[in-house]
Amino acid sequence: MTHTLHRTGDLESLREDFPMLAHVARGFNDVGAGPRLKQIAQIMTKYTDLHFGDCKVGNKYTMDPAEIMDRLTVGMQVVFKDKENLIACMKELKEKDQGISIVVSGIFDEVFECCKQSGINPPLIEFALGIHGNRKKLWPPEILDFVTMCGHGLVSGSLVKKMVQDIKKKKITIEKAATELAKPCLCGIFNPYRAEKMLRKLVSQEKE
């Protein structure tokens, strides 16, 4: 099970959204995992610095990146906006194998192609089975696309709406608003690059 799996949105938007996480297995490879996670984190952030962190430590918008890496004990998360850097990262992670599981989420065809080009045969594949229950209580799709970029549900739909209104009132730039939305996502899988594009689209639609 992974909290990076359940993102919503159209295909065009999701093609620029690839969360990656490294996580130890308790009782198997967690003892003394800090240095190995640090090396993994250094490789990950070499190829993307959009957003990264760990929910037990903090993210790049809440604390110094070097401190995050020094304090890692169970996992590390990042997010990519393009396949080229994702593939390069996957290749280096494979080459410098630290014995810790790596999970990549995204559109199946896109992720499978990245695995193929990286020389990786996925040992496990997970599916998101959609949303069940009373869907009337969900945020509308244009807000849900933001909210689901934080797998722990820490990005509020109300904050998204506030950012849209503040942008329209010229209280904040779109780039800054995307950063503000990324801050609550402690583990660092919220994609501010994608958020900028979605904010721009949302603001444009509300002006019409």
Side-chain angles (χ1 to χ4, degrees):
M1 185 65 185
T2 172
H3 67 304
T4 65
L5 193 60
H6 307 286
R7 291 148 112 84
T8 63
D10 59 57
L11 289 178
E12 181 182 356
S13 178
L14 290 170
R15 285 195 174 99
E16 295 181 313
D17 192 26
F18 299 95
M20 172 188 280
L21 68 89
H23 206 285
V24 301
R26 293 191 184 278
F28 180 71
N29 62 1
D30 56 327
V31 177
R36 288 178 289 145
L37 282 168
K38 183 174 182 178
Q39 183 169 9
I40 289 172
Q42 289 171 337
I43 294 171
M44 287 175 164
T45 54
K46 174 180 172 182
Y47 296 98
T48 179
D49 65 351
L50 280 181
H51 201 13
F52 57 85
D54 181 68
C55 61
K56 295 184 180 297
V57 180
N59 65 44
K60 66 171 282 187
Y61 295 114
T62 61
M63 64 191 306
D64 181 71
E67 185 180 355
I68 293 174
M69 294 186 188
D70 286 338
R71 292 176 57 185
L72 293 175
T73 58
V74 296
M76 171 69 178
Q77 291 80 221
V78 297
V79 62
F80 293 82
K81 66 180 177 65
D82 63 275
K83 291 193 297 183
E84 291 74 22
N85 280 297
L86 174 59
I87 291 167
C89 181
M90 291 169 72
K91 285 181 177 179
E92 187 167 350
L93 288 172
K94 180 186 177 186
E95 177 188 347
K96 298 177 180 175
D97 184 9
Q98 294 297 306
I100 292 174
S101 295
I102 305 293
V103 177
V104 177
S105 298
I107 298 171
F108 267 34
D109 290 347
E110 303 282 339
V111 175
F112 286 155
E113 178 62 24
C114 291
C115 288
K116 181 179 179 181
Q117 293 192 38
S118 304
I120 296 171
N121 183 25
L124 177 68
I125 300 170
E126 296 182 339
F127 294 81
L129 298 179
I131 300 170
H132 302 266
N134 186 358
R135 299 173 64 92
K136 293 180 180 178
K137 297 193 175 196
L138 292 174
W139 287 102
E142 65 273 16
I143 302 296
L144 196 65
D145 292 352
F146 289 91
V147 173
T148 55
M149 280 201 289
C150 177
H152 292 112
L154 299 179
V155 176
S156 165
S158 296
L159 180 60
V160 177
K161 294 177 72 173
K162 182 180 187 304
M163 289 298 102
V164 171
Q165 293 305 312
D166 285 352
I167 292 168
K168 291 171 65 177
K169 294 175 182 177
K170 301 188 182 302
K171 291 183 177 181
I172 193 170
T173 64
I174 288 178
E175 294 76 14
K176 179 63 176 174
T179 297
E180 289 301 309
L181 289 172
K183 285 180 181 180
C185 181
L186 293 180
C187 68
I189 62 167
F190 185 95
N191 186 338
Y193 174 82
R194 183 183 174 212
E196 281 186 32
K197 288 193 169 186
M198 294 194 302
L199 283 169
R200 194 167 284 111
K201 182 177 180 179
L202 204 51
V203 170
S204 175
Q205 288 175 342
E206 292 204 3
K207 286 181 179 178
E208 295 176 355

